[in-house]
Amino acid sequence: MTFILITGSIMAVSIFLIHRLCRFFGIEMKWTSLVLCAIMAFIVNGMAITMSPFLDRAHYLRLGVLVITAAALVTFFNERMLRREEAMAGGYTVLPTEELPVEEAPPAEDDMLLARRKKSDTAAIVEDASVAEAQPTETTAPLQTDSAPEPPTESADKATADIQTAQQAIEEAEAAARVLAEKEAAEAAKKAEEEAKAIAEAKARKAAKERAAQKKREEAARRKTAAEAEAKAKAEKEAAEAKAKAEKAAAEAKAKAEEKARQLAAAKQQAHENQLKQELSTMDSLDAILDFAYEAKTAQPKDAIFAYHEAISRYADDDYTPFLVIELGNLYKEQANYSGAIAAYKKALNMPIIAQNDAMCQEFTKNIHYLGTVQDILAKHAALSTPFPQIPGNIMQEIEDEFQAHNGGAK
């Protein structure tokens, strides 16, 4: 209900503003059109709500179509009402369409002069003829006799002949003027055609020259671009080859240095192991070796591992040997050497004192599986170099869950 009241209030204010804007700009708006606008607003609002509850792109598109349709309908209705009102008030006035008179082109200057000359000649001839008819012929009158004088028929014939001669001269002048005008027009047309042809040929030659020049410029630019691209590609290739050679030389030098370092380290380790082995060989009891391993466990863990291996090898049949293997595995785990611990347990399974003890074999096999799970989970988290005591609690819980799921037991 609150939504409807708020929406209605907004629509009422909007319609009032539309009415004020129409009056401000001098646009005539019928009150029935405003009512229709309010009705269409409610319809558009209702359809917008029912079409989609989410404001996505399709919803906005459909809403825009509805708004445009409603606006067009309101505009059409308002225009129809205005036309109807004008028609009822007799406001339409239909003006008849009249064809405009076609203005004739004024005669050329030569034709006007010729016509004026013909009119003046004709007027002069006619005036002479009238004067000739009006004036009596001067003749020496003979002595009056009883017979009547003869009528002046000869002067009238002469005037008629002059008129005919003038008309014939006018016709000949008109014919000559028409011929002259046609000739001049033909010459002017021919001259204009020749000039247009010359201009067209000049334009064509100019366009051809421009096209040829443009083609040359494009060809030069293409060659320049191709040359630049080829030079750039060549330079890049040479730079890449030089870089590859430098990288290869650096890699080879690094590999040689690493190999030399490994060899030195191996030689140093071998010498240290030989010295350590010689020192351990002087110890004549298992307790002495274990005491040495215990002392070296913190400062020199590798020496302790070597001592454990030496003790297991020399006292393989001792009852304490399985526990030495377990101590060795724990030491490997503290050094994050899970592969070494797995190898130690696998090697111990072949020892007679362990192979004959089923419980010990099961324990060692379980340790091998557990360490394999530890390796897999640490590799998954990219933390394979983490010592066993430093493994975070969440990863340790994941290791335990994985081991229980695949082996049915816990470490």
Side-chain angles (χ1 to χ4, degrees), residues 350-366:
N350 297 322
M351 298 175 66
I353 192 171
I354 296 174
Q356 295 172 3
N357 190 339
D358 294 337
M360 193 64 68
C361 288
Q362 291 179 2
E363 184 66 22
F364 279 23
T365 303
K366 185 185 293 186

Side-chain angles (χ1 to χ4, degrees), residues 60-70:
Y60 285 118
L61 180 61
R62 290 193 292 269
L63 182 61
V65 173
L66 287 175
V67 171
I68 293 173
T69 305

Side-chain angles (χ1 to χ4, degrees), residues 42-216:
F42 274 104
I43 293 174
V44 169
N45 191 20
M47 293 184 68
I49 295 173
T50 57
M51 279 191 302
S52 175
F54 302 103
L55 298 178
D56 53 0
R57 183 179 296 178
H59 179 79
Y60 285 118
L61 180 61
R62 290 193 292 269
L63 182 61
V65 173
L66 287 175
V67 171
I68 293 173
T69 305
L73 183 59
V74 172
T75 303
F76 175 76
F77 179 78
N78 184 68
E79 184 67 21
R80 186 176 180 83
M81 293 297 294
L82 292 175
R83 288 181 179 272
R84 183 178 179 183
E85 185 178 352
E86 291 180 0
M88 292 176 65
Y92 288 106
T93 57
V94 180
L95 297 176
T97 57
E98 296 181 357
E99 294 184 357
L100 297 176
V102 180
E103 296 182 358
E104 296 182 356
E109 184 177 359
D110 295 338
D111 296 339
M112 294 176 64
L113 293 175
L114 183 61
R116 194 180 296 112
R117 188 180 302 167
K118 291 176 181 178
K119 288 181 180 180
S120 60
D121 293 342
T122 304
I125 293 172
V126 172
E127 185 179 358
D128 294 340
S130 59
V131 170
E133 290 179 356
Q135 291 181 356
T137 49
E138 296 180 358
T139 53
T140 304
L143 294 174
Q144 294 292 331
T145 60
D146 294 337
S147 61
E150 294 180 358
T153 57
E154 185 177 352
S155 59
D157 293 338
K158 184 178 180 181
T160 303
D162 292 339
I163 292 172
Q164 291 177 356
T165 302
Q167 290 179 352
Q168 186 177 1
I170 292 171
E171 292 176 356
E172 291 178 355
E174 290 179 352
R178 283 195 298 271
V179 172
L180 181 60
E182 290 176 356
K183 184 177 180 181
E184 291 178 353
E187 291 179 354
K190 184 177 180 181
K191 186 177 180 181
E193 183 179 357
E194 291 177 353
E195 290 178 354
K197 186 176 180 182
I199 293 172
E201 291 178 354
K203 288 182 178 179
R205 287 193 297 269
K206 184 178 180 181
K209 290 181 180 179
E210 291 179 354
R211 286 195 298 270
Q214 181 66 23
K215 188 175 181 181
K216 289 181 179 179

